[in-house]
Amino acid sequence: MALMKILVAFIILWPLAGFLLNGLGRNYWSKKVIAYKATGYIVASFIASIFAFLYVQDHGAVTVHYFDFIHTASLTIPFDFKVDALSSLFLLVITGVGSLIHLYSKAYMQEESSPHYARYFAYLNLFIFSMLLLVLGDNYIIMFMGWEGVGLCSYLLIGYWFSNGSYNYAAKKAFIMNRIGDLGFLLAIFWLIAKLGTVSYNEVLTAESLAKLSNADITGITLLLFVGAMGKSAQIPLFTWLPDAMAGPTPVSALIHAATMVTAGIYMITRSNILFSHSEITQNIVAIIGISTALLAATIAIKQNDIKKVLAYSTVSQLGYMFLGLGVGAYSGAVFHVITHAFFKALLFLGAGSVIHALHHEQDIRKMGGLKSKLPITHITFLIGCIAIAGVPPFSGFFSKDEILAAAFEKNKIYWVLGLVGAAMTAFYMFRLYATTFLGKFRGSNEQEAHLHESPLAMTLPLIILAILSAVGGAIGIPEIMGGHHWLASQLSTIVSTPHEASLTVSTEWILMGVSVAIVATSLLIALSKYSKQTDEEPSSAIGKFFYHKWYIDELYQKAIIEPLNEFSLFLKEFIEKKVIDGAVNGTGKLVQFSARKVRLIQNGQAGYYILFMVVGIITLFLIWFNDIYILRFIHTLTQK
Amino acid sequence: MLILFLLIPILTAIVLLFIKKNTLASPTAITASLATLALAVFASFNKVEAFDMAWLPSLNSRFTLEADGLAKILILLTSISLPAIFIATAKNQYKQKNIFLSLLLFTQAGLMGVFLAGDALLFYFFWELALIPVYFLCSIWGGEKRIVITFKFFIYTFLGSLFMLIGILFLNAHTAEHSFSMQAFIHANLTDGQKITAFALFFIAFAIKMPIFPLHTWQPDTYEQSPTAVTMVMSAVMVKMGLYGILRWLLPLFPAAFAAHTHVVVFLSVVGILYASFIAIRQDDIKRLIAYSSIAHIGLMNAAIFTTTGIGIQGALIQLFSHGINVLGLWIIADILEQQTGTRSMQQMGGLAKKQPTLAILLVGFALANIAMPLTNAFVGEFLMFNGLFILNPWIAAFAGISVVLAAIYTLNMVQKVAYGEISEKINNMPAPNKAAQTVLIILLIIVFVTGVYPQPLFTLTADTLQQLLAK
Amino acid sequence: MNTLEILFNTLSAFAIISAIMVLISKNPIHSVLWLILVFFAISGHYILLNAQFLAIVNIIVYAGAIMVLFLFVIMLMNVKKDKEPQKQLLVKLIGVIAGGSFLTLLLALVKQNTSFQGRDVLLKEGSIGLIHPLGQALFTDYVVPFELSSVLFLSAMVGAVIIGKK
Amino acid sequence: MNAIIVSTLLGVIMMFCSWGIKNQKTQQTIALVGLFVLILSNLAQLNGWFVIHFDTKGMLAFTRFGLFVNTLFFAITFIYIWLNGEEIAKFDNQAADFYALFFFILCGASILTSFDNLLMLFIGIEILSIPLYILTGADKKNLFSNEAALKYFLMGSFSTGILLLGITFMYGATGSFHLVTPMLKPSTGLPSEQIILSAGLLLVFAAMNFKVSAAPFHFWTPDVYDGAPTVFTSFMATIVKAAGFIAFITIFNSQAKALGHTWELVLSFVIVSTLLVGNIVAVFQRSVKRMLAYSSIAQAGFMLFALYGKSSFASEGIILYVIVYSLATIGVFGVLIKMKENSFEAFNGLAKTRPLLAFVTTIFLFSLAGIPLTGGFFAKYYMLNALYAAGAGLWLIIIAILFAAVSVFYYFKLVQAMYFVSGEPTINEVPKKYTYALLLIAILLLILGVFPSIVFNYLYF
Amino acid sequence: MPIEYYIFLCLTLFSIGVIGVLTRRNAIIVFMCIELMLNAVNLLLVAFSKMNYGAALAMSPNTSAGIDAQLFVFFIMVVAAAEVSIGLAIIVMIYRNTHSIDINFLNRLKN
């Protein structure tokens, strides 16, 4: 236990230390030192995570308590961490992929001047730190801390090149959309506290506390949690920030906007799956949103020409798949896909990064092509990535995606069909990307061609490792029918309430696999044949334009939400504030002035009038006194105390 | 012990009136304020006995000072703010700086008195004493429209406090042996109708002081026009007088009337929160932006207190302190920017991160605190307060929650306009960074994060007050 | 209708008419003279009420001293009748209305008042109006105000000196 | 009694000084010494020692309260003459005459604090007023002064007529001039046998309102205060008005409650209209002197609260108010005298050139506005308390408070001129001694602002 | 002779005085009207005194009731004399400076 306490502190604090040291010493250390320090810390906590993982393997889940974050009469929120199968898995992924990407960044960010270089790594470390908080926290508050922390880091990293206005805008967009989600999350937490008075997992996620919650409560809470997930994991309607987030450096896209942060939503829902599986409505909503996001993003991805944009949309659509999995109750499947996706999507981004690096920040695939020979390693690894994501057996993507589809099939045939369509499109756009980038002949400018070169080892090494992982990563979840025993599912059986056991008959499952494989294969062949020679020009068909312009969703938001809000606040500022409220205040002052100007005219300086007024005054007094004018008496009785 | 909190500032202030040399004046002020800070720190971790002596036999009012958790936390805030302000603005050139400083110290004395007074008349006394020096500070050293604006501010708040005076008179008339002490007021025999009247009379004063929508219009103008050092005092500490008044007097005296008005006031405050946030989005003047965001935060605190839920009030108690620190930091930064760039318009700033990275980082840090990022002190308070709102009514909480997003919008706008983007020539002309101010900011930022990660000391400090309030 | 009533009525009528004449006569000197007549009428009333001392004092002080003083001043600044521009009619009207309503108001009150009903004024009997009892009272009970009225004269004198001297 | 006798004698002495002694300084010194003697004699009577013992035959009744107030009057006059000696001398090489008038006024004032008979009230008021007519017109060559004097005189004697009619009615109803307390039998309505008495009281009320310049009988005040020489205005606005109030209270405290609630109505009407006229019109004035005239009307509105009903607050309050208000007013006028002109602009930038003078002026103005830490606050507070204790509705208090807030408008206009507006003040040179005298007054006000009780300790023991 | 008669008479005179004050512009005339008011009051006082005296006489043969009123009248006359001296002095002073005693021209002080 004490060991665990130290170990967890170790895992958490290394990245934090990295952040602080690099942040404060940014002007003093050389790039080399900075890079090695940063990477070293993450590696260290990766090793620590391995130990933690092993410890959990034989001793089961542990909760370590440090201090009480909030301790009042009515509410106590401990600062606890929980290491169990789920979180330890995520630990491995985060720190593992994280360290690879740090390594990669060392070379990729070489051109930056050293303070900014340090800033970059500091942010990355901070990100890892927050991510660890998120997965390790033993209650929703600590998860929320990490949750907002990663949002902040993505904000900082997207706006890393801060002198560029549009990048800042993208960063702000990302943060604010996340904030909208966070609001949902926060409200869910309040709801829990209001009903249960606690937010610790091992108190919330239990039978008796479930008993305390009415169905309405559960649905409400889960929906709000899902809103949070939407923001973080870029689901409809809050997904538009993710493609823009590609403004950040490519490794960042790889780490944050593909491998780790965006999957936080899946983690959160899996963590609280007990709640979700008690609300049919929420599950359906999750599934529907998931699948529709998957399709929407896929359609857009088909028409994009920016290499990173394509990958971004593919990420969105893959996330959609995961939510579909969650929606149909295939939690372990979702997690499985998270892990495999982390591998191959990180791989793809890094590959893209290496391409961009080679082409001096050229991102338009129409200006690429024929890089196969120039960048061999990148090419191979990228290809593996594509295959993996397309879901060709025996690569990792196949297994995870298949598991989700199977679950979908058994839940509702329509999900399955749509899922297949999505899978087909995935294969199509991925291979469109691959073909236009690597096959054919080079379409870029000459001096670009002159300088084409394979990336340094620091960049290729992570590629290779990730390639291997995405190739064989499926091994952790080979379903029974293939003679595997689905190690992952058994791992998660402690956390996931209803581990998805294959209730389908063996035959059906084989059939499903066959179908999907067939469809995927055909569509990728079409893509290859279509794009290996030529690229596609500006879309002409209406539908093509529609996809190319991302369904005009950004424009829609601009018109429907942002501008009205701006107008509204301008109206408040200029009219309500200045004219109405302040006008009233100043009006009283003016009234006094005005009446002063009028009343003083009585004082007209003529003694005769004065005496006249006096006589009138006396008469008035008499009238008040003797006839006791009724209004005055009324006032009096009114205010008689 | 407690009397020192009044004596040190007042005596120093009087001494300062005769120190003409600036080089001598501001060190004097700084040392005095640091002395009070030391006292305050000591007081907040030890038990201090009340100070009591006869004052007005014919009115049966006593000179009573007593410090419970609520008082202590605000005393602490005050005595942190003053030295911070003095040091941060030490470079600023004011004509007759010694007068300036001494007036600030008088204000401090007034604030201390307000937070410590255990006797209603005394409370009112210090309430005004805190107001009058500020009036002079703003009107003499303020911006070009200062006279009109400050006068409006003065009349506005003075009128409010007059209503409170009537309330005090009213209660005092209904107490046995015409006493002004808290206890006597609590046991004053009033009909429910009279209770509500008195409640209203007190509430107007506090509402104007805080200020809550729609009585807030004096604030942005005043903050904009007055010298930033004064703005800091007003925004970091003075607005807390209103909340303090509500916690110390309103809630204990009229629990019933309080509960009766919960929904009205909470609704008003929430409307105010959103209103202020929306307006803040469109501000280009950095001081006005901070002013409006401050209005929003204060509104939230007020709403939380009026939920009369333990958790909400606890949150407000914490936030009293946290908001003070955060907004102080923001003001100091705003002041540095104004002093060094000579403008307050954020359009003309930009690229600060290139020119003065440290300042930019500090700005981001306080911006995060301003939007209640977790692990900053503001998160703890706002989390608890929203929680209280939610317990009162989920829909109101959700409604108010929108401000979380809005806050992100305007704060990030500010950060983007000031720190990021291409470097503007106004920023480019900035002289060397103001080390003293930056040190202060760093210290404040450390406070922000320490209390954000480990807020327990604040909880323990305010525990007793919370108990008393909940006992009602 | 005995002699007293006749006297009362004639004196009253005389007083009121000449009072009105004071108002309406253009020439200040005429008004002064009319006023003197009013005073005589009032003195007549005093005699009727057997307040001989006051009657005499009234004649001497008012009709004699004060009014002569007035006359003297008017002569001094020889204000002709046309010297005084008239107030415009409306103002006069308002004045009359105000005064009239003042009168009616008071009269109404007196009418309502019950405590005076049937109270009579003792005419021509009674010795209190004679010099002897008055003097007695003045120098015993009323010595304080008597002495103090000297202060009044002193201050009046000083004042006259201050204003009078160039 | 002592006060009355001694002040008369002193008046006579001063009269002869004006022939005997030509040196202004000496005259002032004599006057000051005389005042000192006056104070002593009054204190002597407070401790039961009389110059001459004789029965006033129920004309005068000396109460501790009245004698205490006398002391205040004399003390304030002392400060006043000490401060304004030179100024008074400026009018006339015969300042002694004015001193004589002051003493006669004081005599009248001390009659008004102790009268027990309507005859004495009448004589007292006359002794008080007649010298004032002179003082108002003292600046013989100045048309404003003349005009003010005539207006004051005509309206004053008109109000005397009203007063006499009132007294006559009261006599007719009760058959005596003594202040039998209460003359009326307590009743809510108006029993028909008391109508004439009430009418008489009301007429007296009106006349007294004139003396204390309460609306709607205030019309003379602005013109007279404005026209009269500033130095005398400050005397008029303080001692004289205060004396009027004391008389007013002595008559009506005995009667008020018996008059039933309609009385409260009448009083509320007068109070509200006084506050309204005083405060509102003052806002728009351009001449400081005239502004102060209106503000004195407003202050009268506050002092009227003491009439609302008898209570310890009322008696203590009126005393405190008299002290504070007189000191502050004398102070402000003291500064104003030194100004070349009366406009607000004249004060621009006074804080730069003469910080101390500006400071004391600020204290006086704060005190008039009733800002805490100056005596004015407690004065107003006591009055409000008295009002509430006497059972007035809260609405009246709230109105009063609102007008108090309005008063800040015009008092602070002067503060702004002095501190925030830059400019060159048009001011005659001010001797150091003079400034310190003002500072002394300011300090007194501050002390009263923190420990008002010190005044009352003397009142009862 | 009923007291009401006297009251009516005196009030009438008094009101005539008031009207005179309100309607005339010549300072002296105004002042005279005020004197008229005072006289009306005097007469009323004497009437009251005799009324009370009559009432008291019924009780005791040698009462001095009502004497106070007559003395009051005496004092009123005294005061009036003093007032007149001052008033005329002021009027003369004004006449010296502005060759007019029209109270309506005296409105330099206003507002």
Side-chain angles (χ1 to χ4, degrees), chain B residues 390-467:
Chain B
F390 190 92
I391 292 168
L392 178 74
N393 175 343
W395 293 110
I396 289 181
F399 194 50
I402 298 170
S403 70
V404 172
V405 180
L406 295 177
I409 294 176
Y410 62 73
T411 313
L412 292 186
N413 275 340
M414 175 180 73
V415 172
Q416 182 187 355
K417 284 184 189 161
V418 174
Y420 298 155
E422 281 309 329
I423 189 157
S424 75
E425 42 81 44
K426 279 249 193 275
I427 289 287
N428 208 12
N429 304 338
M430 281 171 82
N434 176 346
K435 285 278 173 248
Q438 286 191 357
T439 334
V440 172
L441 284 169
I442 289 163
I443 294 167
L444 289 176
L445 202 58
I446 289 169
I447 298 179
V448 166
F449 282 105
V450 169
T451 48
V453 176
Y454 190 64
Q456 207 51 46
L458 299 180
F459 287 117
T460 40
L461 187 56
T462 53
D464 58 344
T465 314
L466 193 61
Q467 288 314 318

Side-chain angles (χ1 to χ4, degrees), chain C residues 5 8 12 15-16 19-20 22-26 28 31-32 35 38-39 42 45-46 48-51 53-54 57-58 62 66 69-70 73-74 76-79 83-87 92 95-96 98-100 102-103 106-107 110-111 116-117 119-123 125-129 133-134 137-138 142 145-146 149 152-153 156 159-160 163-164 166, chain E residues 1-9 11-26 28-29 31-33 35-36 38-40 42-43 46-55 57 63-71 73-82 84-86 88-93 95-96 99 101-105:
Chain C
E5 289 179 355
F8 177 83
S12 311
I16 292 175
I20 293 171
V22 173
L23 287 199
I24 61 180
S25 56
K26 294 263 175 297
S31 342
V32 175
L35 190 59
V38 177
F39 291 159
I42 287 175
H45 272 293
Y46 289 155
L48 196 60
L49 289 160
N50 196 17
F53 174 67
L54 288 180
V57 173
N58 199 34
Y62 268 109
I66 298 181
L69 212 54
F70 273 103
V73 171
I74 294 173
L76 180 91
M77 47 184 78
N78 53 32
V79 190
K83 262 295 200 53
E84 184 194 358
Q86 294 300 311
K87 283 192 184 176
K92 282 189 169 173
V96 174
F102 182 73
L103 176 61
L106 288 179
L107 289 182
V110 175
K111 268 273 162 241
F116 285 154
Q117 282 160 4
R119 304 289 301 277
D120 278 359
V121 179
L122 197 55
L123 297 180
E125 291 97 358
S127 62
I128 54 166
L134 284 176
L138 185 58
Y142 286 77
F146 181 75
S149 52
L152 195 68
F153 277 106
I163 289 184
K166 280 257 176 288
Chain E
M1 186 61 56
I3 185 69
E4 266 100 349
Y5 290 11
Y6 275 99
I7 298 180
F8 295 161
L9 170 62
L11 285 181
T12 320
L13 287 174
F14 192 89
S15 310
I16 291 172
V18 172
I19 292 171
V21 172
L22 294 182
T23 48
R24 297 304 292 264
R25 293 171 59 170
N26 182 327
I28 296 182
I29 307 284
F31 190 22
M32 274 157 55
C33 294
E35 291 302 326
L36 177 59
L38 295 188
N39 272 274
N42 290 352
L43 180 53
V46 177
F48 277 134
S49 93
K50 293 292 289 194
M51 176 185 89
N52 290 333
Y53 176 72
L57 205 57
T63 173
S64 70
I67 248 180
D68 44 5
Q70 302 216 1
L71 282 172
V73 173
F74 172 72
F75 280 110
I76 292 177
M77 290 176 177
V78 168
V79 170
V84 168
S85 61
I86 292 304
L88 289 179
I90 290 174
I91 292 175
V92 170
M93 173 177 74
Y95 188 76
R96 267 201 220 124
H99 286 274
I101 49 171
D102 180 345
I103 56 173
N104 279 31
F105 286 164

Side-chain angles (χ1 to χ4, degrees), chain D residues 123-159:
Chain D
I123 290 179
I125 285 181
E126 284 305 313
I127 295 180
L128 202 64
S129 333
I130 287 184
L132 281 183
Y133 303 146
I134 318 284
L135 291 180
T136 315
D139 194 353
K140 296 197 286 283
K141 292 281 162 286
N142 177 343
L143 290 182
F144 291 108
S145 172
N146 296 343
E147 176 182 348
L150 183 62
K151 280 180 178 172
Y152 192 16
F153 172 75
L154 287 179
M155 299 169 81
S157 32
F158 181 80
S159 78

Side-chain angles (χ1 to χ4, degrees), chain A residues 10 34 72 75 102 108 113 130 166 187 223 276 317 349 353 365 377 424 548 554 580:
Chain A
F10 199 75
I34 291 164
T72 70
L75 173 69
H102 274 71
Y108 187 84
S113 70
S130 334
S166 63
L187 289 172
L223 277 178
F276 278 80
S317 110
F349 265 113
I365 51 175
I377 306 174
Y548 179 76
D554 279 324
V580 178

Side-chain angles (χ1 to χ4, degrees), chain A residues 511-639:
Chain A
I511 294 165
L512 297 185
M513 287 189 196
V515 175
S516 65
V517 171
I519 293 178
V520 166
T522 42
S523 70
L524 78 81
L525 288 176
I526 297 170
L528 272 178
S529 55
K530 185 162 187 287
Y531 292 105
S532 50
K533 292 290 160 291
Q534 104 286 17
T535 165
D536 56 356
E537 59 297 336
E538 286 299 318
S540 52
S541 65
I543 185 80
K545 278 204 181 57
F546 189 59
F547 290 158
Y548 179 76
H549 291 106
K550 319 173 187 114
W551 296 45
Y552 296 102
I553 287 176
D554 279 324
E555 292 74 1
L556 178 70
Y557 286 175
Q558 184 67 26
K559 285 267 169 298
I561 297 166
I562 300 168
E563 285 174 4
L565 279 186
N566 274 329
E567 286 313 306
F568 179 59
S569 45
L570 191 63
F571 166 74
L572 287 183
K573 171 167 175 277
E574 292 303 330
F575 183 72
I576 301 289
E577 177 81 349
K578 287 218 176 68
K579 299 281 178 306
V580 178
I581 297 178
D582 211 16
V585 175
N586 299 337
T588 29
K590 289 208 173 55
L591 180 68
V592 172
Q593 299 267 338
F594 174 78
S595 43
R597 226 176 289 120
K598 289 282 159 272
V599 175
R600 70 200 259 276
L601 295 181
I602 300 174
Q603 196 79 24
N604 64 354
Q606 300 205 353
Y609 285 98
Y610 294 172
I611 298 177
L612 176 64
F613 288 133
M614 278 166 70
V615 174
V616 174
I618 295 173
I619 294 170
T620 335
L621 291 192
F622 268 102
L623 290 178
I624 296 173
W625 193 337
F626 289 104
N627 298 351
D628 191 357
I629 296 169
Y630 290 102
I631 300 154
L632 289 179
R633 169 181 274 172
F634 175 69
I635 293 174
H636 196 80
T637 45
L638 206 69
T639 56

Side-chain angles (χ1 to χ4, degrees), chain A residues 23 26 67-75 77 79 116 123 129 133 141 144-146 148-149 151-152 155-156 159 162-165 168-169 171-172 175-176 179-180 183 186-194 199 224 565-570 572-573 576-578 581-582 585-586 641, chain B residues 152 156 174 213-214 216-218 220-221 274-275 278-279 281-283 292 310-311 314 353-354 357-358 361 364 368 371-375 379-380 382-384 386-387 390-391 394 397-398 401-402 404-405 407-409 412-413 415-416 419-422 452-456 459 466-467:
Chain A
R26 66 188 188 286
F67 56 87
D68 277 351
F69 175 58
I70 292 175
H71 178 78
T72 70
S74 45
L75 173 69
I77 293 170
F79 206 93
H116 292 298
Y123 289 164
F129 166 73
L133 268 187
I141 298 294
F144 185 75
M145 289 177 184
E148 289 242 301
L152 169 67
Y155 166 74
L156 292 171
F162 52 73
S163 17
N164 180 326
N168 289 324
Y169 182 77
K172 217 167 67 189
F175 190 87
I176 288 162
R179 211 82 211 280
I180 296 170
L183 177 57
L186 211 49
L187 289 172
I189 294 175
F190 295 147
W191 202 322
L192 282 172
I193 292 176
V199 286
L224 285 170
L565 279 186
N566 274 329
E567 286 313 306
F568 179 59
S569 45
L570 191 63
L572 287 183
K573 171 167 175 277
I576 301 289
E577 177 81 349
K578 287 218 176 68
I581 297 178
D582 211 16
V585 175
N586 299 337
K641 77 180 184 59
Chain B
K152 179 173 158 187
Y156 214 140
H174 287 81
F213 179 84
H216 64 278
T217 44
W218 60 267
D221 298 349
L274 295 178
Y275 177 82
F278 270 118
I279 289 182
I281 291 176
R282 294 303 293 251
Q283 291 300 336
Y292 277 104
I311 194 159
Q314 175 67 77
K354 271 212 186 66
T358 325
I361 291 166
V364 172
L368 295 180
I371 59 177
M373 207 65 189
L375 296 183
F379 173 73
V380 185
E382 290 206 2
F383 170 74
L384 292 173
F386 273 117
N387 215 328
F390 190 92
I391 292 168
I402 298 170
V404 172
V405 180
I409 294 176
L412 292 186
N413 275 340
V415 172
Q416 182 187 355
Y420 298 155
E422 281 309 329
V453 176
Y454 190 64
Q456 207 51 46
F459 287 117
L466 193 61
Q467 288 314 318

Side-chain angles (χ1 to χ4, degrees), chain D residues 119 122 126 134 140 143-144 146-147 150-151 153-154 157-158 164 168 171-172 175 177 223 285 290 294, chain E residues 31 34 37-38 41 48 52 66 68-69 72 79 83 86-87 93-94 97-98 106-111:
Chain D
L119 175 56
F122 171 60
E126 284 305 313
I134 318 284
K140 296 197 286 283
L143 290 182
F144 291 108
N146 296 343
E147 176 182 348
L150 183 62
K151 280 180 178 172
F153 172 75
L154 287 179
S157 32
F158 181 80
L164 286 174
T168 314
Y171 174 79
F177 291 108
D223 295 2
Q285 296 306 319
R290 206 165 169 80
Y294 278 106
Chain E
F31 190 22
I34 290 172
M37 288 159 64
L38 295 188
V41 171
F48 277 134
N52 290 333
D68 44 5
F72 201 113
V79 170
E83 259 189 12
I86 292 304
M93 173 177 74
I94 288 188
N97 294 335
T98 73
L106 295 175
N107 56 1
R108 294 179 190 74
L109 295 161
K110 65 162 89 169
N111 297 347

